[in-house]
Coordinates of all heavy atoms in Angstrom, one line a residue:
Y121 N 0.8 -1.2 0.0 CA 0.0 0.0 0.0 C 0.9 1.2 0.0 O 0.5 2.3 -0.6 CB -1.0 0.0 1.2 CG -2.2 0.9 0.9 CD1 -3.3 0.4 0.2 CD2 -2.2 2.3 1.2 CE1 -4.4 1.2 -0.1 CE2 -3.2 3.1 0.9 CZ -4.3 2.5 0.2 OH -5.4 3.4 -0.1
V122 N 2.0 1.2 0.7 CA 2.9 2.3 0.6 C 3.4 2.6 -0.8 O 3.5 3.7 -1.3 CB 4.1 2.1 1.6 CG1 5.2 3.2 1.3 CG2 3.7 2.1 3.0
F123 N 3.7 1.5 -1.6 CA 4.2 1.6 -2.9 C 3.1 2.1 -3.8 O 3.3 2.9 -4.8 CB 4.7 0.3 -3.5 CG 6.1 -0.1 -2.9 CD1 6.4 -1.4 -2.6 CD2 7.0 0.9 -2.8 CE1 7.6 -1.7 -2.1 CE2 8.3 0.6 -2.3 CZ 8.6 -0.8 -2.0
Y124 N 1.8 1.7 -3.5 CA 0.6 2.2 -4.2 C 0.5 3.8 -4.0 O 0.3 4.5 -5.0 CB -0.6 1.5 -3.8 CG -1.9 2.1 -4.3 CD1 -2.1 2.2 -5.7 CD2 -2.9 2.6 -3.5 CE1 -3.3 2.8 -6.2 CE2 -4.1 3.1 -4.0 CZ -4.3 3.2 -5.3 OH -5.4 3.7 -5.8
A125 N 0.6 4.2 -2.8 CA 0.5 5.7 -2.5 C 1.7 6.4 -3.2 O 1.5 7.5 -3.7 CB 0.5 5.9 -1.0
A126 N 2.9 5.8 -3.2 CA 4.0 6.4 -3.9 C 3.8 6.5 -5.4 O 4.1 7.5 -6.0 CB 5.3 5.6 -3.6
W127 N 3.2 5.5 -5.9 CA 2.9 5.4 -7.4 C 1.9 6.6 -7.7 O 2.0 7.3 -8.7 CB 2.3 4.1 -7.8 CG 1.9 4.0 -9.2 CD1 2.6 3.7 -10.3 CD2 0.5 4.1 -9.7 NE1 1.9 3.7 -11.4 CE2 0.6 3.9 -11.1 CE3 -0.7 4.3 -9.1 CZ2 -0.6 3.9 -11.9 CZ3 -1.9 4.3 -9.9 CH2 -1.7 4.2 -11.3
L128 N 0.9 6.8 -6.9 CA -0.1 7.8 -7.1 C 0.6 9.2 -7.1 O 0.3 10.1 -7.9 CB -1.2 7.8 -6.1 CG -2.2 6.6 -6.1 CD1 -3.2 6.7 -5.0 CD2 -3.0 6.7 -7.4
S129 N 1.5 9.3 -6.1 CA 2.2 10.6 -6.0 C 3.1 10.9 -7.2 O 3.2 12.0 -7.7 CB 3.1 10.6 -4.7 OG 3.7 11.8 -4.5
E130 N 3.8 9.8 -7.7 CA 4.6 10.0 -8.9 C 3.8 10.4 -10.1 O 4.2 11.1 -11.0 CB 5.3 8.7 -9.2 CG 6.5 8.4 -8.2 CD 6.9 7.0 -8.2 OE1 6.5 6.2 -9.1 OE2 7.7 6.5 -7.3
K131 N 2.5 9.9 -10.2 CA 1.7 10.2 -11.3 C 0.9 11.5 -11.1 O 0.1 11.9 -12.0 CB 0.6 9.1 -11.5 CG 1.3 7.7 -11.9 CD 2.0 7.7 -13.2 CE 2.6 6.4 -13.5 NZ 3.4 6.4 -14.8
N132 N 1.2 12.2 -10.0 CA 0.6 13.4 -9.6 C -1.0 13.3 -9.6 O -1.7 14.1 -10.0 CB 1.0 14.5 -10.6 CG 0.7 15.9 -10.0 OD1 0.7 16.1 -8.8 ND2 0.5 16.9 -10.8
M133 N -1.4 12.1 -9.1 CA -2.8 11.8 -9.0 C -3.3 12.1 -7.6 O -2.5 12.2 -6.6 CB -3.1 10.4 -9.4 CG -2.8 10.0 -10.8 SD -2.8 8.3 -11.1 CE -4.6 7.9 -10.9
P134 N -4.6 12.3 -7.3 CA -5.1 12.5 -6.0 C -4.6 11.4 -5.1 O -4.8 10.2 -5.4 CB -6.6 12.5 -6.1 CG -6.9 12.9 -7.6 CD -5.7 12.3 -8.3
R135 N -4.0 11.8 -3.9 CA -3.5 10.7 -3.0 C -3.6 11.1 -1.6 O -2.9 10.5 -0.7 CB -2.0 10.4 -3.4 CG -1.0 11.5 -3.1 CD -0.8 12.4 -4.3 NE 0.3 13.3 -4.1 CZ 0.5 14.3 -5.0 NH1 -0.3 14.6 -6.0 NH2 1.6 15.1 -4.8
Q136 N -4.3 12.1 -1.2 CA -4.4 12.5 0.2 C -5.0 11.4 1.0 O -4.4 11.1 2.1 CB -5.3 13.8 0.3 CG -4.6 15.1 -0.2 CD -3.3 15.5 0.5 OE1 -3.0 15.0 1.6 NE2 -2.4 16.2 -0.2
R137 N -6.1 10.8 0.6 CA -6.7 9.8 1.4 C -5.7 8.6 1.4 O -5.5 8.0 2.5 CB -8.1 9.4 0.9 CG -8.8 8.3 1.7 CD -9.9 7.6 1.1 NE -10.9 8.5 0.7 CZ -12.1 8.1 0.2 NH1 -12.4 6.8 0.0 NH2 -13.0 9.0 -0.2
E138 N -5.2 8.2 0.3 CA -4.3 7.1 0.2 C -3.1 7.2 1.1 O -2.6 6.2 1.6 CB -4.0 6.7 -1.2 CG -5.1 6.2 -2.1 CD -6.1 7.3 -2.5 OE1 -5.8 8.5 -2.3 OE2 -7.2 7.0 -3.1
S139 N -2.5 8.4 1.1 CA -1.3 8.6 1.9 C -1.6 8.5 3.4 O -0.8 8.0 4.2 CB -0.7 10.0 1.6 OG -1.5 11.1 2.0
M140 N -2.8 9.0 3.8 CA -3.2 8.8 5.2 C -3.4 7.4 5.5 O -3.0 6.9 6.6 CB -4.5 9.6 5.4 CG -4.4 11.1 5.4 SD -5.9 12.0 6.0 CE -6.9 11.8 4.6
M141 N -4.1 6.6 4.6 CA -4.3 5.2 4.8 C -3.0 4.4 4.9 O -2.8 3.5 5.8 CB -5.1 4.6 3.7 CG -6.6 5.0 3.7 SD -7.5 4.3 2.3 CE -9.2 4.7 2.8
A142 N -2.0 4.8 4.0 CA -0.7 4.2 4.0 C 0.0 4.4 5.3 O 0.6 3.4 6.0 CB 0.1 4.6 2.9
K143 N 0.0 5.6 5.8 CA 0.7 6.0 7.1 C 0.0 5.3 8.2 O 0.7 4.7 9.1 CB 0.8 7.5 7.2 CG 1.7 7.9 8.3 CD 1.0 8.0 9.6 CE 1.9 8.3 10.8 NZ 1.3 8.3 12.1
L144 N -1.3 5.4 8.3 CA -2.1 4.8 9.4 C -1.8 3.3 9.5 O -1.5 2.8 10.5 CB -3.6 5.1 9.2 CG -4.5 4.4 10.1 CD1 -4.3 4.8 11.6 CD2 -6.0 4.6 9.7

């Protein structure tokens, strides 16, 4: 899930919820 959130960030896609989920 961390790699998924990183992938979203690299693609400059919405990732606020995913980054919170990854960290949590």
